[in-house]
Amino acid sequence: AVAGGTVELRCGAQGDPTPRVQWHKERGDLPWDRHEVDQEHTLHLYAVTPADAGTYVCTAQSQLGTAAATARLRV
C-alpha cells in the first residue's frame, strides 16, 4: 500500500447461525480512529502509515466453531 492511501481487507464469513466477525492486528492495535469494519466484514484502513504494516487477522466465531484468516500489509 502507498502511505496516505486507503486499504480494504476483505473477510468472507458465512454460516448458520451467522458468525461473529472480529479483526485484530498481530503485535499491535488497529489504527485508532483510522479504521472501520463494514457490514460485509471488510476492514477499511485510512491514511495508512508505515506503522500500520503487519499481519491482520479476521476471526469468525459461532456455536459451531472458530475460523481465522490472515492478511499481510506492507506500506
Side-chain angles (χ1 to χ4, degrees):
V2 176
T6 298
V7 173
E8 293 182 357
L9 302 176
R10 301 186 196 288
C11 182
Q14 300 174 0
D16 187 18
T18 303
R20 188 183 83 180
V21 176
Q22 291 185 306
W23 278 97
H24 74 273
K25 183 181 178 189
E26 286 186 350
R27 298 185 208 98
D29 297 320
L30 293 175
W32 177 253
D33 205 31
R34 292 187 297 111
H35 80 274
E36 70 176 342
V37 179
D38 66 22
Q39 291 182 329
E40 285 81 40
H41 313 299
T42 299
L43 173 64
H44 301 265
L45 303 172
Y46 302 106
V48 294
T49 69
D52 297 327
T55 302
Y56 290 79
V57 182
C58 170
T59 304
Q61 185 175 15
S62 76
Q63 299 166 347
L64 302 176
T66 302
T70 61
R72 182 162 180 120
L73 175 63
R74 286 189 258 176
V75 180

